[in-house]
Amino acid sequence: AGPRTVGLHTTIGDTDHRLEQPLADGTNEVEWTVTVERPELWWPRALGTPTMHDLSVAVELPAEGGEVSDLRRLRTGLRQIRMRNWIASVNGERLFLKGSNQGPTRMALGEASGAELEHDVDLALDAGLDLLRIHAHVSRPELYDAADDKGLLLWQDLPLQWGYARSVRRQAVRQAAAAVELLGHHPSIAVWCGHNEPMSIQNDPEMWGDPKQLRRMAAKALAAQQLPTWNKTVLDRSVRRSLERADGTRPVIAHSGVLPHPPRLDGTDSHLYFGWYHGHERDLPGFLARLPRL
C-alpha cells in the first residue's frame, strides 16, 4: 500500500504494548519484544497449573484514526523448556518424563472428532504420563489445544520416517519452518524432532520367519546406524538447522532412533525393541550394562 507508519498493538493477559513502526513499500518483516512482568507461568500437570493467556496483535493505521488494518488472536502459555543430557526441565524445575508414542487418532485423521482427539490426551494423563510423542505426523488443532489446556507435554515429530530420495531436502526444510509457524505458539510442544529412524531398510513381514534374512537385515541396519548416509548426515542436518532458525526456544533433535556413531558418538534416543521385535523386556538391563553408552 506504499510507505507509511503503523501502530503495532500487542496484548497478552493484562499487558498492553504499543509500538509505532515505519514501513517501506512492499513486504516488511518486523520483530519486537513484549515484556510481561511476573507472568503466571504455564506448567505441565505434574509440576503445577497450565495457565494460558489470550494474545492479540493488531496493525493500526494512525492516519485513519487508529483503524485496525489486520488482527490476529491466539492462546499461548509462558514457560521455558530446556533439555541437557536428555534431562528435561520446565521453568527451571527438572522433570523425569514418562511418555508414550502417539499415532494418528484415526487412520483418516481428518475424520476424527474433536472429542476423540481430546480423549487421547485424557487417556495419557489418566495413565500418569507427562508426554506424548506425536509420532511421524502432525495432528489436528484439537489435540494441541487439549494438551495446552490440560498440561500434557508433546514431542513433535515432522512427518519424516525411514529413507528418502535426495530431491526431498528442499521441501523438508520448507515444511520444518512451516511446522514451527503453525504450531509454535503451543506451550505443550516441548521438543522438535526432524526425522524418525532415517534408515533405508526394507522391512518385509515375510522375513520375520527366516533367520538368515533377519540377520542380513540386522547387519544392514547396523551399517546404516554407524556409517554416514545421505538421510542421516545431510537431510537431517538441514532439517535441524531449519527448525533451530525458526525456533530458538525449544530443544531440537535431528533424528530419533540413531545409536551413538562416529565421529562424535553423540547419538539420539535409542530404539531398543526388547519384547517387541525380539527377546523380552527383561533382557534390556543386561544389554545396557554391556553397552552403557546407550
Side-chain angles (χ1 to χ4, degrees), residues 21-33:
Q21 178 67 39
L23 300 180
D25 191 15
T27 299
N28 292 253
E29 294 190 9
V30 182
E31 292 187 8
W32 66 98
T33 299

Side-chain angles (χ1 to χ4, degrees), residues 183-202:
L183 301 173
H185 64 281
H186 289 287
S188 55
I189 295 180
V191 179
W192 300 110
C193 181
H195 192 173
N196 179 54
E197 296 182 349
M199 281 74 74
S200 301
I201 299 170
Q202 183 179 1

Side-chain angles (χ1 to χ4, degrees), residues 45-46 96-99 122-131 152:
R45 193 176 71 167
F96 179 80
L97 294 175
K98 304 176 295 296
D122 291 334
L123 288 173
L125 292 170
D126 289 346
L129 301 182
D130 308 298
L131 178 141
L152 180 68

Side-chain angles (χ1 to χ4, degrees), residues 252-272:
V252 175
I253 300 166
H255 39 226
S256 62
V258 176
L259 304 179
H261 58 280
R264 292 173 52 194
L265 296 178
D266 49 358
T268 62
D269 57 326
S270 301
H271 291 185
L272 304 176

Side-chain angles (χ1 to χ4, degrees), residues 42 52 74-79 81 140-149 152-154 179-190 192 247 249-250:
W42 185 95
M52 297 290 291
L74 51 80
R75 281 171 58 75
T76 193
L78 305 178
R79 56 97 188 98
I81 299 284
R140 291 255 302 278
E142 296 94 330
L143 185 138
Y144 300 100
D145 291 342
D148 288 345
D149 291 335
L152 180 68
L153 293 168
L154 302 175
V180 173
E181 185 172 339
L182 177 70
L183 301 173
H185 64 281
H186 289 287
S188 55
I189 295 180
W192 300 110
D247 184 0
T249 72
R250 291 178 173 93

